[in-house]
């Protein structure tokens, strides 16, 4: 069954089995309650913090990307297939879904195969591997994201490195982090003071 995934932002995951391009129209207009948003943050917070401790990926960035791209865990891709970041895949167990991709300055609808994970933890760990291992053509591609001193720098580094085609991707991440005070979960000393 095909689904138009409206809760996911245009994201291009470089070096994975395909480009991930999905839009955020639903996330901007959805009526997800604050309680549901808090529940989502609570559910993924421990793994996001663990990934920051081990690999220096700011917790606020992981939380904001997951919230934005999965519509707070409410999209079918996140809810049924545990894929928080809209990662495409050519694996045998991938699920074909329709989605919106931003191509040549406009949104188009396409069918794509998306990765299936056993849990949100597995999805976050795969997301971390992309940042740590880089792309097939550049193992240091996301090093600036890892080296960022605060969430604003990290969000801008994601934009600069082409993680998302949406020209407002960094702004949207920063806005989510500020609105929900997600940077309070970052453990780097400069992260909490250098906003």
């Amino acid at each position: 069954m095909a689904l138009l995934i409206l809760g996911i932002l245009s994201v291009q995951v470089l070096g994975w089995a395909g480009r991930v391009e999905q839009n955020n129209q639903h996330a901007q207009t959805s009526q997800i309650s604050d309680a549901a948003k808090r529940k989502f943050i609570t559910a993924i917070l421990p793994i996001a913090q663990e990934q920051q401790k081990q690999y220096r990926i700011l917790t606020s960035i992981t939380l904001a990307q997951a919230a934005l791209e999965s519509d707070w865990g409410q999209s079918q891709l996140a809810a049924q297939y545990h894929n928080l970041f809209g990662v495409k895949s050519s694996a045998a167990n991938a699920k074909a879904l329709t989605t919106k991709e931003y191509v040549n300055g406009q949104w188009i609808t396409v069918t794509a195969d998306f990765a299936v994970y056993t849990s949100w933890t597995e999805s976050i760990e795969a997301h971390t591997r992309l940042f740590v291992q880089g792309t097939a053509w550049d193992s240091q591609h996301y090093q600036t994201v890892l080296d960022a001193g605060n969430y604003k720098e990290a969000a801008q580094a994601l934009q600069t490195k082409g993680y998302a085609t949406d020209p407002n991707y960094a702004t949207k991440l920063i806005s989510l982090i500020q609105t929900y005070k997600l940077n309070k979960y970052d453990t780097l000393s400069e992260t909490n003071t250098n906003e």
Side-chain angles (χ1 to χ4, degrees):
M1 172 181 199
L3 166 74
L4 177 59
I5 301 171
L6 295 174
I8 302 180
L9 175 70
S10 170
V11 177
Q12 180 177 10
V13 179
L14 303 170
W16 285 15
R19 291 182 358 185
V20 175
E21 306 278 343
Q22 300 185 9
N23 83 43
N24 189 35
Q25 294 169 1
H26 180 65
Q28 293 173 354
T29 61
S30 67
Q31 300 299 315
I32 297 171
S33 71
D34 283 339
K37 291 175 182 177
R38 283 191 302 273
K39 183 177 178 181
F40 177 75
I41 290 169
T42 300
I44 68 170
L45 180 60
I47 186 62
Q49 288 177 315
E50 178 184 314
Q51 296 300 291
Q52 178 176 332
K53 185 176 179 181
Q54 290 182 355
Y55 302 104
R56 299 186 338 260
I57 297 170
L58 296 176
T59 300
S60 61
I61 289 293
T62 300
L63 295 174
Q65 285 189 282
L68 189 61
E69 296 168 19
S70 74
D71 199 15
W72 298 93
Q74 303 291 313
S75 71
Q76 180 182 10
L77 190 59
Q80 291 184 3
Y81 306 114
H82 303 104
N83 186 333
L84 292 173
F85 303 97
V87 176
K88 290 183 180 175
S89 174
S90 59
N93 70 339
K95 295 296 178 188
L97 301 171
T98 59
T99 186
K100 292 273 191 176
E101 293 191 2
Y102 194 72
V103 178
N104 297 325
Q106 63 183 352
W107 291 102
I108 62 170
T109 301
V110 298
T111 299
D113 292 332
F114 289 91
V116 173
Y117 299 107
T118 59
S119 66
W120 284 351
T121 296
E122 185 181 7
S123 178
I124 293 170
E125 289 170 345
H127 182 254
T128 296
R129 278 193 302 278
L130 174 65
F131 290 160
V132 173
Q133 296 172 0
T135 63
W137 61 90
D138 181 6
S139 64
Q140 299 294 309
H141 193 77
Y142 292 109
Q143 191 62 45
T144 54
V145 177
L146 298 174
D147 292 342
N150 61 61
Y151 66 89
K152 290 180 182 177
E153 290 177 12
Q156 204 54 56
L158 284 167
Q159 184 92 41
T160 301
K161 286 300 186 176
Y163 184 89
T165 60
D166 182 341
N168 297 311
Y169 189 70
T171 301
K172 290 175 182 178
L173 289 179
I174 291 167
S175 178
L176 265 175
I177 291 167
Q178 291 174 341
T179 299
Y180 297 98
K181 300 181 183 358
L182 301 178
N183 61 308
K184 71 183 176 186
Y185 301 115
D186 294 336
T187 58
L188 300 178
S189 59
E190 61 266 292
T191 301
N192 293 321
T193 60
N194 191 12
E195 295 182 27

